[in-house]
Amino acid sequence: MKPLPLSQPKPSCCHSAQPKKIPTPPSSQNAMYTCPMHPEVQNKGPGSCPKCGMALEPTALEVSSSLDHSELKDMTRRFWISAFFTLPIVLLMMGDHVLGLTFLQKFSAQAKSYVSLFLSLVPCVWAALPFYQRAIESVRHQSLNMFSLIGLGVSMAFLYSAMATLFPQLFPDSFRDSHGQVAIYFESASVIVTLIVLGQILELRARAKTSSAIQKLLGLAPKTARIVQEDGSETDILLENIARGHHLRVRPGEKVPVDGILLSGQSAIDESMMTGEPLPVEKKSGDNVIAGSLNGNGSFIMEAQKIGAETLLARIIELVSQAQRSQAPIQRLADRISKYFVPAVIGVAILSFILWAIFGPEPQMAYALLSAVSVLIIACPCALGLATPMSIMVATGRGATMGILFKHAQALENFHKVDTLVVDKTGTLTQGKPTCTTFKSVGLLSENELFGLMASLEKASEHPLSAAILKAAAERGISTLENVSEFKSITGKGLQGIVHGKKVALGNASLLKDLGISIDAIFKEVDLLAQEGQTIMFMVIDHVLAGYIGVCDPIKPSTPHAMADLHREGLKIMMVTGDATATAHAVGKKLGIDYIQAQVLPEQKLEIVKKLEQEGKYVAMAGDGINDAPALALAHIGIAMGTGTDIAMESASVTLVKGDLEAISKARKLSHLTMTNIKQNLFFAFFYNGLGIPIAAGLLYPFFGIVLSPMIAALAMSFSSVSVILNALRLKKLTL
């Protein structure tokens, strides 16, 4: 679900003297919430997941919103109150034996039992209430989880102790010790609840740390902006009151409020949180600026172009949130195991109870109950459920801080498998900002006349080469004509239209072939230019070849190093471009690319990716344009340049915000480290349960006389969950 768009005010609001609030977004009661572990669970408003019991989290976060920590606050309150009532229970029941508090011997066993019953109502009923509610929900939805075991274990210990206190005469001799007393476990039940609540607090705090990337991103957006009004006066307004077209002043040290274009002034802007680029970027008139980036020492005026959910910052937050909520394929293994694990644990607890009741020492039933409760508590599959989601959350956040956005967890899990990289040329390997280097008329029209017709046709196009031609026309002082009709863009080939009564076509050799026009007369000269890396486009006027233009798109400075890194990692690289063969080979030779396919149409890119996948290759496709979108969607991993088109980013599973191919190597390493981390977590969770359950069931008693206390079991269960989370948090520190 996309972030809620920020509302836009009426134009008159923008000129008010004071910041004015506008209608707030829908309340949290109407917002959609989902489970971090089970993203298929959707609910209107907050609640808990029926499958695992975890608190649901909002599916959409606004740039101006903050993360909800209400569950952490609630659990913290329950912990301190529970601990306050648990401590006197422990002192009352164990103080004379363990701590030597002899004055407690003055109280009768019955008096201690009644006081403990009264005090334990707070931890065992009130503090544990969320666990009971989630346990009931798990049974109602036929999806047993960790809270099923906690609820069953704690309620068994508490209800048994309450019955033993209120109705001791109902218990047979098998429940009584050598003094004829029925053992009670109010202190165990209370300590278990307190420790489990503490474990929940530690887990929630650790989970909050995994969302630190989103918190940082949310904190990047300023609350207000300074609008420059038509009369030249300036007023501070709230961020949500900004509309497209507003002129905004950004002063030294301030954050850029929305995406836009710099109109006047210049400055060095820190864009590191969005792009991962550590050095400030020099910006001048005509350059784009990004919401949330930090202005340096200069002051400038910008025009707002993208606001609210349209900004790059909002889209990054959306992608990170979406990836952290998504489920990696490896998580299905843990889910399948958990489905059978909880019923199996209940079966082991019942079997342990029966064996202790038959073969255990006196009092058999008391030992049997202790064993069953210990098994239920220590075997809670919390660590198993957290193993994958926590690593995914940390890794996607880490990627976001480096300008690598994973759309879903599956892309993060599988990225390290990539062995073949297919790349587009323009805007991917090159800067995507071509410049005109050669122009020649081969007909009767002068170069300026020809340039005017060509620029007029290109004015209606959004192709990267169009900007270069229009810029060159402006530098030559050539004005474009407005009366362009029957404009037609032929994908991968060129443009056609009627300009000032003349039938004009501009495109590559494929377009001329379709038009039946030969270029034999100028082939040698244009071929030499193409071998130098220039892209040649031919101009046709009234079905006659009239001239050509050579455009050069410089290779990105980081591309050679990125290609070398990927080759060292064993990847095969194929360049697939619609450019002429000679131009493509000139670029490919400079970069050492393994395979080159030129003059390729968009549908042919799709076929190339499909063929590679059929050959057993694990393919990543990197591109930035609309024509790359089908291939990006088909590839195992689609990689979009953040500097490219929106549709390319929508089609891809990974976006490189900076548009730098060096990030591919980092993304592969992050994927590999994440999968290693997940496997470590799963191994620990399985090993822990494999070791803990037999000990809790009493395996050590025949050999060493050791019986595991339910309190120790609760502490061990909490420790296992926190250990998994701490291991996942290591991903924030690992070197890429």
Side-chain angles (χ1 to χ4, degrees):
M1 185 175 181
K2 293 185 177 180
L4 296 170
L6 299 179
S7 303
Q8 295 180 33
K10 295 178 181 179
S12 59
C13 296
C14 303
H15 303 285
S16 57
Q18 298 293 331
K20 183 177 179 180
K21 284 194 175 290
I22 58 173
T24 56
S27 70
S28 62
Q29 298 300 321
N30 295 321
M32 291 301 295
Y33 282 67
T34 187
C35 173
M37 292 190 188
H38 301 94
E40 70 276 9
V41 174
Q42 299 282 331
N43 186 58
K44 271 194 175 182
S48 58
C49 175
K51 292 189 175 183
C52 66
M54 287 182 66
L56 301 180
E57 297 179 354
T59 58
L61 285 173
E62 292 188 11
V63 174
S64 57
S65 67
S66 59
L67 298 175
D68 182 18
H69 297 299
S70 57
E71 185 184 14
L72 176 58
K73 293 177 182 176
D74 178 60
M75 284 294 172
T76 302
R77 183 174 67 253
R78 289 180 188 272
F79 168 73
W80 288 113
I81 295 175
S82 178
F84 179 80
F85 282 87
T86 297
L87 182 60
I89 299 173
V90 174
L91 291 175
L92 193 62
M93 301 301 295
M94 303 174 64
D96 54 340
H97 302 297
V98 178
L99 301 177
L101 303 177
T102 54
F103 72 91
L104 293 173
Q105 296 174 3
K106 298 177 182 179
F107 298 95
S108 67
Q110 186 177 21
K112 291 179 181 178
S113 298
Y114 275 101
V115 173
S116 296
L117 171 59
F118 174 75
L119 292 173
S120 65
L121 288 172
V122 174
C124 295
V125 177
W126 175 77
L129 183 60
F131 305 148
Y132 298 142
Q133 291 171 335
R134 294 172 184 181
I136 292 170
E137 284 293 301
S138 72
V139 174
R140 191 166 69 87
H141 289 89
Q142 298 180 2
S143 180
L144 301 180
N145 54 45
M146 61 171 285
F147 294 105
S148 313
L149 301 182
I150 292 172
L152 185 59
V154 173
S155 61
M156 279 176 56
F158 175 74
L159 292 175
Y160 163 81
S161 300
M163 290 290 292
T165 299
L166 299 173
F167 309 104
Q169 69 277 8
L170 298 179
F171 289 79
D173 292 340
S174 59
F175 283 87
R176 300 177 186 275
D177 58 22
S178 58
H179 301 288
Q181 298 292 322
V182 180
I184 58 174
Y185 303 103
F186 289 121
E187 78 280 10
S188 293
S190 299
V191 170
I192 287 171
V193 171
T194 304
L195 288 174
I196 291 174
V197 174
L198 177 61
Q200 288 288 292
I201 291 171
L202 295 175
E203 179 184 319
L204 288 166
R205 284 182 177 175
R207 280 172 52 198
K209 286 184 179 180
T210 66
S211 300
S212 60
I214 290 183
Q215 289 175 315
K216 288 179 182 177
L217 290 168
L218 288 170
L220 289 178
K223 304 300 181 186
T224 62
R226 192 165 188 82
I227 187 171
V228 180
Q229 300 178 0
E230 292 180 3
D231 60 3
S233 60
E234 299 181 5
T235 306
D236 287 334
I237 63 171
L238 294 175
L239 182 67
E240 54 262 39
N241 286 347
I242 299 173
R244 294 184 196 87
H246 281 168
H247 289 186
L248 308 170
R249 179 177 293 281
V250 182
R251 292 167 290 190
E254 290 184 338
K255 293 176 180 176
V256 177
V258 294
D259 290 0
I261 188 169
L262 195 148
L263 296 177
S264 63
Q266 61 183 28
S267 184
I269 298 180
D270 181 2
E271 299 177 343
S272 58
M273 273 304 296
M274 267 74 68
T275 66
E277 174 60 53
L279 299 177
V281 181
E282 292 290 338
K283 299 283 185 178
K284 58 184 184 301
S285 179
D287 289 341
N288 293 322
V289 289
I290 305 172
S293 54
L294 183 63
N295 185 27
N297 296 325
S299 176
F300 60 86
I301 295 176
M302 61 171 290
E303 179 183 316
Q305 292 186 327
K306 292 184 179 180
I307 59 175
E310 300 171 344
T311 65
L312 178 63
L313 176 59
R315 291 171 64 194
I316 289 175
I317 292 171
E318 177 193 352
L319 283 172
V320 175
S321 301
Q322 180 180 324
Q324 291 187 342
R325 293 194 308 268
S326 64
Q327 189 179 64
I330 196 171
Q331 174 67 24
R332 296 172 197 149
L333 171 64
D335 287 347
R336 284 197 299 268
I337 292 172
S338 296
K339 181 179 179 181
Y340 301 103
F341 179 76
V342 176
V345 168
I346 294 174
V348 171
I350 294 171
L351 179 62
S352 175
F353 182 91
I354 294 171
L355 292 175
W356 275 96
I358 297 174
F359 303 108
E362 296 290 341
Q364 294 103 319
M365 297 304 291
Y367 274 110
L369 181 67
L370 277 176
S371 174
V373 170
S374 295
V375 169
L376 291 172
I377 297 300
I378 202 169
C380 286
C382 187
L384 184 62
L386 289 170
T388 298
M390 290 300 104
S391 297
I392 294 296
M393 290 179 73
V394 175
T396 50
R398 175 75 187 278
T401 61
M402 299 187 300
I404 304 168
L405 305 180
F406 293 94
K407 197 175 199 177
H408 44 69
Q410 185 173 351
L412 175 60
E413 178 179 332
N414 293 329
F415 205 113
H416 70 285
K417 298 179 183 177
V418 171
D419 54 28
T420 303
L421 175 65
V422 178
V423 291
D424 177 44
K425 182 179 77 70
T426 305
T428 304
L429 298 174
T430 62
Q431 294 180 5
K433 296 179 180 179
T435 56
C436 294
T437 52
T438 305
F439 183 72
K440 185 176 181 180
S441 172
V442 297
L444 299 177
L445 294 178
S446 68
E447 287 190 0
N448 281 355
E449 288 177 312
L450 194 60
F451 219 118
L453 292 171
M454 178 173 59
S456 301
L457 184 64
E458 287 285 8
K459 196 173 183 180
S461 172
E462 295 182 355
H463 194 278
L465 296 179
S466 301
I469 293 171
L470 291 172
K471 182 181 178 182
E475 290 173 352
R476 287 173 175 241
I478 299 172
S479 58
T480 57
L481 302 172
E482 298 297 332
N483 52 343
V484 179
S485 60
E486 298 183 24
F487 176 82
K488 182 180 180 183
S489 176
I490 305 170
T491 304
K493 296 183 179 181
L495 310 172
Q496 287 180 295
I498 297 177
V499 183
H500 206 56
K502 298 179 182 293
K503 290 184 178 180
V504 180
L506 177 67
N508 56 23
S510 295
L511 178 63
L512 266 65
K513 185 178 180 181
D514 290 349
L515 296 174
I517 297 173
S518 172
I519 59 169
D520 292 344
I522 58 171
F523 177 78
K524 288 185 179 180
E525 55 188 279
V526 298
D527 186 52
L528 288 173
L529 295 173
Q531 289 177 23
E532 295 173 2
Q534 295 189 40
T535 297
I536 306 300
M537 293 182 292
F538 302 94
M539 187 78 173
V540 176
I541 307 293
D542 291 333
H543 213 70
V544 176
L545 181 64
Y548 63 85
I549 185 170
V551 179
C552 182
D553 185 8
I555 294 172
K556 292 179 181 178
S558 61
T559 299
H561 187 263
M563 294 294 102
D565 277 350
L566 294 171
H567 275 127
R568 276 195 296 270
E569 292 175 21
L571 268 70
K572 295 296 182 182
I573 303 173
M574 173 184 286
M575 181 173 70
V576 179
T577 178
D579 257 348
T581 303
T583 306
H585 278 274
V587 173
K589 185 177 180 181
K590 289 179 183 177
L591 297 174
I593 291 176
D594 302 299
Y595 308 103
I596 299 168
Q597 296 228 16
Q599 295 181 305
V600 174
L601 298 176
E603 57 269 25
Q604 292 174 314
K605 290 185 180 182
L606 191 71
E607 291 301 319
I608 289 169
V609 171
K610 186 184 295 185
K611 183 180 178 183
L612 288 170
E613 291 181 350
Q614 289 172 347
E615 292 173 356
K617 309 291 186 185
Y618 206 91
V619 181
M621 167 72 191
D624 73 327
I626 294 174
N627 59 334
D628 299 317
L632 290 173
L634 178 67
H636 291 119
I637 303 290
I639 305 170
M641 302 295 109
T643 50
T645 61
D646 290 349
I647 191 169
M649 285 183 268
E650 289 293 327
S651 303
S653 50
V654 179
T655 298
L656 307 182
V657 177
K658 188 183 171 186
D660 188 343
L661 290 177
E662 282 186 311
I664 293 178
S665 181
K666 292 181 179 179
R668 291 185 80 246
K669 291 175 184 175
L670 180 60
S671 172
H672 176 74
L673 290 171
T674 302
M675 288 308 300
T676 301
N677 192 269
I678 289 173
K679 290 172 183 176
Q680 290 169 348
N681 286 346
L682 290 173
F683 171 79
F684 178 79
F686 286 129
F687 177 78
Y688 165 81
N689 282 304
L691 184 66
I693 292 174
I695 293 175
L699 181 66
L700 298 180
Y701 183 79
F703 307 102
F704 306 103
I706 297 174
V707 179
L708 188 67
S709 164
M711 291 186 287
I712 302 300
L715 186 62
M717 184 272 289
S718 298
F719 172 75
S720 69
S721 301
V722 174
S723 298
V724 164
I725 295 174
L726 291 176
N727 186 50
L729 288 173
R730 289 193 311 112
L731 287 169
K732 296 176 70 174
K733 307 292 184 182
L734 294 176
T735 303
L736 296 178

